[in-house]
Amino acid sequence: MKNKYLYIQTFGCQMNVHDSEQMAALLAQVGWKITDNLKLADLILLNTCSIREKAAHKVYSELGRIGKLKEQNPELIIGVGGCLAQHLGTKFHKKVRHLDFVFGTHNIHRLPQLVAAIRKKREKITQVDFHKSLNSIGVFAPPQSGAVSAFVTIMQGCNNFCAYCVVPYLRGPEMSRPPDDIIEEIRKLADCGIREVTLLGQNVNSYGKTLGNGLNFTALIKKIGKISGIERIRFTTSHPRDLSPELINCFAEEEKLCEHIHLPVQSGSNRILALMNRGYTVEEYMKKVDHLRKLSPQISITSDIIVGFPGETQNDYQETIDMMEKIRFDSIFSFKYSERKGTAAQKLEGRIEECEKLRRLQQLQALQDGHTLEANLALEGSQQELLVEGKSKNSENDLMGRTRSWKIVNFKSESELTDKRVKVKISKAYLHSLRGKIVDD
Ligand code: 5AD
Ligand code: SF4
């Protein structure tokens, strides 16, 4: 039989990247081969994001480009999954005529059947219902050959309803995956050569609440720490409100848990945090940061910040700047507030002009660049353990690894060290990476 080629394009977050890996794994089981050549594809999947308007725009423009391929090849199958697909459902077919199927965030496991049905009977399909079980996250996605690091979904959905965010509407209520499933998947990954796992969820700190077996996130990390072959554990994302002293202690106690936490603060103004429905104050957030740094002095702290939330005054914004000056994050992701349909923030007054949002964003990013460089420069001369991921993107002759604190280090080596842990001395710090020299091979 002729090869069937699948092309997947992913938009948005790590959650989506991992969902795409699962889509590829499911379709590989029924004979689809992945290609990175769009023109070769018999099936094109776009795994979409709609967290901000810009992400949704990118999807539409890509669909326009792909539509031209369908004019040349009417047999081509085009499907859209992910958050925008969940949001629009059947309306997606009306907006984009050349789509064959739309599948939502709870329906990834149905992909092989959906594709088979389209091939048999060329009728448009929409599958966006929510399920009470975790069908879609139990799919084992074998890592690509040579990979040393993998994502593992430990929960899906979110119950937080931050005022600006569409995720709870598009990914459904929070559900934790049973620990035995997670452990089994990580064991399999370790057998395939994976050395580092990143545990994924919208709010990993509340892991276990829906299981009712008393096992919480810290206990899960400790169980994973016992799996042989796994040398490093990371997680993302943490909600500051639910970051417990027990989990903070875990950074000091669990040797495999890497010293990095992504802890989205969103704003430095208590008034805005309350409007955002975040459930903590700046003072509470800073206390947790202090506690983390006290127990784990090497820890790198990264964050997300939104500027231009409705009603954000110059004073509120200045409070965010002041907080950043005090905390000095290692790096941040920063965003202009983007109004999303159906969210609580949509009803708030005090819209900020786009140009003002941009001004705030640019100023904040310039400040952060200074802090990021400062944090990197502080590492010059220090020794760092790296897990080597492979060749450097910058140079064929260099290898690249990450520190336990998630920073990229490029270095020279005569030997093949991929998937090994090595010690380097940091010789030079840049804004986005570090340069190192092997200490012992
Ligand atoms: N506008 C801007 N940023 C948003 N985020 C989520 N929703 C929005 C929105 N409507 C950001 C938050 C979150 C990150 C994943 O995306 O900072 O932590
Ligand atoms: Fe969105 Fe808030 Fe849930 Fe994160 S915690 S996914 S920002 S609602």
Side-chain angles (χ1 to χ4, degrees):
M1 197 179 77
K2 177 181 164 287
N3 276 330
K4 300 181 289 184
Y5 285 107
L6 160 69
Y7 177 95
I8 304 189
Q9 189 167 351
T10 311
F11 299 81
C13 61
Q14 284 167 331
M15 204 75 82
N16 266 17
V17 171
H18 186 49
D19 285 351
S20 293
E21 289 169 358
Q22 292 186 306
M23 292 175 195
L26 276 165
L27 289 167
Q29 282 167 15
V30 290
W32 288 88
K33 285 199 163 54
I34 197 105
T35 175
D36 51 14
N37 181 353
L38 195 60
K39 293 204 175 110
L40 204 65
D42 306 288
L43 167 61
I44 297 175
L45 293 180
L46 298 194
N47 189 8
T48 65
C49 171
S50 73
I51 199 149
R52 284 170 293 276
E53 206 176 352
K54 208 161 121 193
H57 279 314
K58 276 196 206 154
V59 173
Y60 289 124
S61 85
E62 194 53 25
L63 277 169
R65 196 163 75 100
I66 288 168
K68 299 208 175 77
L69 293 175
K70 190 140 179 170
E71 283 166 18
Q72 293 152 24
N73 171 17
E75 293 296 301
L76 177 65
I77 302 175
I78 303 176
V80 284
C83 287
L84 188 61
Q86 184 68 46
H87 172 59
L88 289 174
T90 50
K91 282 191 221 144
F92 222 144
H93 289 292
K94 290 196 185 110
K95 278 184 182 267
V96 183
R97 293 280 168 193
H98 53 266
L99 284 185
D100 291 289
F101 67 104
V102 177
F103 61 106
T105 51
H106 281 206
N107 292 282
I108 294 172
H109 63 293
R110 293 209 169 124
L111 254 183
Q113 289 128 280
L114 294 176
V115 174
I118 299 272
R119 275 160 68 90
K120 204 163 163 197
K121 211 166 150 196
R122 305 254 353 174
E123 277 175 7
K124 292 185 187 291
I125 300 178
T126 308
Q127 192 81 252
V128 289
D129 41 334
F130 274 165
H131 305 284
K132 287 214 171 72
S133 64
L134 291 169
N135 294 326
S136 287
I137 65 172
V139 181
F140 180 68
Q144 287 192 344
S145 93
V148 294
S149 184
F151 295 122
V152 176
T153 307
I154 62 163
M155 57 209 296
Q156 82 176 14
C158 182
N159 289 346
N160 286 315
F161 291 94
C162 299
Y164 49 81
C165 186
V166 281
V167 168
Y169 306 95
L170 302 181
R171 292 202 173 244
E174 179 181 297
M175 266 188 274
S176 295
R177 194 174 165 201
D180 292 348
D181 288 7
I182 298 170
I183 302 290
E184 193 191 314
E185 177 170 342
I186 297 178
R187 282 216 179 97
K188 279 196 210 159
L189 288 168
D191 290 345
C192 298
I194 291 298
R195 299 284 158 257
E196 174 183 274
V197 285
T198 302
L199 310 176
L200 282 182
Q202 304 294 346
N203 178 13
V204 291
N205 304 141
S206 67
Y207 174 82
K209 281 191 188 148
T210 59
L211 292 171
N213 62 5
L215 187 111
N216 66 10
F217 186 48
T218 314
L220 179 71
I221 291 176
K222 291 196 171 159
K223 263 178 176 277
I224 295 170
K226 295 203 173 72
I227 300 178
S228 75
I230 296 299
E231 294 165 3
R232 287 177 163 194
I233 303 170
R234 304 183 182 280
F235 58 80
T236 194
T237 289
S238 296
H239 193 300
R241 183 199 55 214
D242 299 328
L243 175 62
S244 64
E246 194 192 359
L247 182 56
I248 296 177
N249 282 333
C250 202
F251 280 102
E253 287 167 2
E254 176 51 60
E255 162 48 32
K256 293 183 183 177
L257 183 62
C258 289
E259 294 82 5
H260 170 218
I261 187 164
H262 186 65
L263 199 60
V265 62
Q266 313 297 1
S267 170
S269 150
N270 284 334
R271 202 179 68 81
I272 296 294
L273 285 174
L275 284 173
M276 285 177 165
N277 189 29
R278 290 291 289 174
Y280 54 84
T281 61
V282 182
E283 292 72 25
E284 284 161 350
Y285 183 91
M286 303 237 278
K287 246 193 186 156
K288 292 195 181 187
V289 166
D290 286 346
H291 193 180
L292 280 162
R293 285 183 168 152
K294 195 161 163 225
L295 285 190
S296 179
Q298 301 302 319
I299 199 161
S300 130
I301 301 179
T302 58
S303 200
D304 293 343
I305 296 181
I306 298 175
V307 296
F309 187 79
E312 184 188 70
T313 60
Q314 183 57 37
N315 191 43
D316 293 316
Y317 169 68
Q318 188 56 45
E319 288 185 356
T320 298
I321 296 286
D322 295 346
M323 171 209 57
M324 287 172 65
E325 292 277 22
K326 281 192 201 131
I327 293 182
R328 305 183 104 75
F329 293 109
D330 286 76
S331 66
I332 60 164
F333 295 106
S334 50
F335 312 100
K336 286 187 287 173
Y337 168 72
S338 167
E339 185 176 294
R340 308 314 285 140
K341 252 196 206 134
T343 58
Q346 200 195 8
K347 298 180 199 87
L348 292 176
E349 310 220 317
R351 233 185 239 184
I352 312 293
E353 292 287 335
E354 276 307 305
C355 57
E356 176 57 16
K357 282 192 223 169
L358 185 62
R359 189 193 68 78
R360 292 181 190 181
L361 187 72
Q362 286 172 340
Q363 190 194 6
L364 181 145
Q365 285 176 340
L367 176 68
Q368 182 55 47
D369 282 354
H371 292 170
T372 301
L373 185 60
E374 178 187 277
N376 289 351
L377 282 168
L379 296 179
E380 280 188 355
S382 72
Q383 289 197 5
Q384 299 287 326
E385 177 207 279
L386 305 184
L387 175 62
V388 183
E389 295 190 6
K391 281 211 163 27
S392 159
K393 277 194 189 135
N394 301 344
S395 154
E396 269 286 297
N397 304 321
D398 288 350
L399 292 177
M400 182 282 261
R402 282 195 192 258
T403 62
R404 287 176 61 98
S405 57
W406 189 236
K407 302 195 185 207
I408 291 176
V409 183
N410 295 303
F411 64 100
K412 268 205 182 5
S413 166
E414 299 302 319
S415 6
E416 174 42 87
L417 294 172
T418 301
D419 98 355
K420 303 281 180 301
R421 280 184 296 158
V422 298
K423 261 228 174 87
V424 293
K425 185 169 176 184
I426 303 301
S427 51
K428 185 99 186 94
Y430 304 96
L431 182 57
H432 299 296
S433 67
L434 302 163
R435 176 119 211 125
K437 219 171 173 183
I438 293 254
V439 173
D440 53 61
D441 230 328

